[in-house]
Amino acid sequence: MEILIYILLAVLLVLGALFVIPKSNSKGKGNGAHPLGSGKTSRTYTKKEVSTHNTRKDCWIIIKDKVYDVTSYVEEHPGGDAILNNAGDDSTEGFFGPQHGTRVFDIIEDFCIGELKE
């Protein structure tokens, strides 16, 4: 009977630890996600710098004067290659279009790497 109690306590301890240990904040991003993420903007970029990141393998966008590295999201984008239409440029208008569900507004800050230099 004592062994059963010890086993039960061990299982409860492990389950409790699963709820206490913080979960990863990657939210489905690939390994190439930028480490700043979560809206931490500690760097500024010029439009010229952003414009060089305009491909599927290196995709940055500008939304409301913030710079986002969305490279790891390109393949997941529900709209397919539409995300590349403004790669390396301002995507504010397209981002706030009617095609986006609320999920995109929840995850976008995870991709923020800085702000646009004026």
Side-chain angles (χ1 to χ4, degrees):
M1 183 70 174
E2 276 185 49
I3 294 194
L4 184 60
I5 291 173
Y6 288 126
I7 291 173
L8 183 60
L9 284 174
V11 168
L12 287 174
L13 184 64
V14 169
L15 288 175
L18 291 175
F19 289 103
V20 174
I21 297 172
K23 294 180 181 173
S24 170
N25 197 22
S26 66
K27 293 194 179 182
K29 294 185 290 185
N31 291 336
H34 200 280
L36 289 176
S38 299
K40 296 176 184 165
T41 55
S42 63
R43 179 137 187 243
T44 57
Y45 299 91
T46 65
K47 265 195 163 193
K48 185 175 182 178
E49 286 175 294
V50 175
S51 71
T52 64
H53 303 273
N54 60 3
T55 67
R56 175 181 301 283
K57 301 284 184 195
D58 184 20
C59 184
W60 290 12
I61 58 174
I62 301 165
I63 301 171
K64 286 192 168 183
D65 295 329
K66 285 188 176 181
V67 178
Y68 299 87
D69 180 350
V70 294
T71 307
S72 62
Y73 185 69
V74 169
E75 297 302 323
E76 297 176 39
H77 188 252
D81 286 349
I83 195 170
L84 298 173
N85 290 346
N86 293 306
D89 204 358
D90 196 308
S91 297
T92 304
E93 188 176 329
F95 180 77
F96 288 101
Q99 75 284 3
H100 282 138
T102 57
R103 178 181 177 269
V104 73
F105 302 110
D106 294 338
I107 67 169
I108 191 63
E109 288 306 313
D110 292 336
F111 297 94
C112 187
I113 59 169
E115 294 182 354
L116 191 62
K117 207 182 278 187
E118 297 199 26

